[in-house]
Amino acid sequence: EEIDRTDPALFPNKRVGSRFAVLFAGSAFNYVAASLLVFATVLVGGIARDAVAVVGEVTPGLPAAAAGLLPGDVVEQANGAPMGSISDVARVARERVDQPTEFRIRRGEETLSVTITPRLVETPGAAPQPRIGIVAGHVYAPVGVAGAAWWAIRAPARFVLVQLVGIVD
């Protein structure tokens, strides 16, 4: 499109510093908007605690359902070993296929001991996988205003870093 090179009001005719400031302001506002969204989300919802093996779902017909596990149960131990995350439970399932395994479960204020025997489960398009039949759940911990502010600064910065690394790769 033809522009009048003598019209000082047109964007292409502005000084380089002015054009840079306009472009930077758009990107900066996107970053500020992302920070505000993260702040509000974390303030209201909290942060997922990964150091807890929470049952999110129980698959019917698999060993965990037969043992009576319910969504919201926390797997504290398996064969006496502490379970810090759902990946610890998956490791036990891999290591103890077809071996009865004692699990200590916390349900609210109650502590239960159940025996679950991990077994190989057919998976469409893949080899059978060791399973007990639970899906990870999450426990969200409140972080307060200062914690939400910290996440509002940290999370968008990490997203930008991941994008830059992806571009470089």
Side-chain angles (χ1 to χ4, degrees), residues 138-151:
H138 299 285
V139 172
Y140 291 91
V143 295
V145 174
W150 171 242
W151 276 94

Side-chain angles (χ1 to χ4, degrees), residues 45-69:
I47 294 295
R49 291 180 44 210
D50 293 331
V52 180
V54 178
V55 176
E57 296 178 33
V58 180
T59 306
L62 291 181
L69 263 63

Side-chain angles (χ1 to χ4, degrees), residues 30-105:
N30 287 336
Y31 191 88
V32 169
S35 292
L36 291 172
L37 288 171
V38 169
F39 177 80
T41 302
V42 171
L43 185 63
V44 171
I47 294 295
R49 291 180 44 210
D50 293 331
V52 180
V54 178
V55 176
E57 296 178 33
V58 180
T59 306
L62 291 181
L69 263 63
L70 299 173
D73 286 350
V74 177
V75 182
E76 292 184 330
Q77 291 184 357
N79 268 3
M83 298 289 104
S85 69
I86 212 72
S87 62
D88 291 339
V89 177
R91 179 184 42 78
V92 168
R94 282 190 306 274
E95 294 171 353
R96 300 197 46 87
V97 172
D98 296 328
Q99 299 176 48
T101 305
E102 184 178 339
F103 286 85
R104 189 172 81 193
I105 308 296

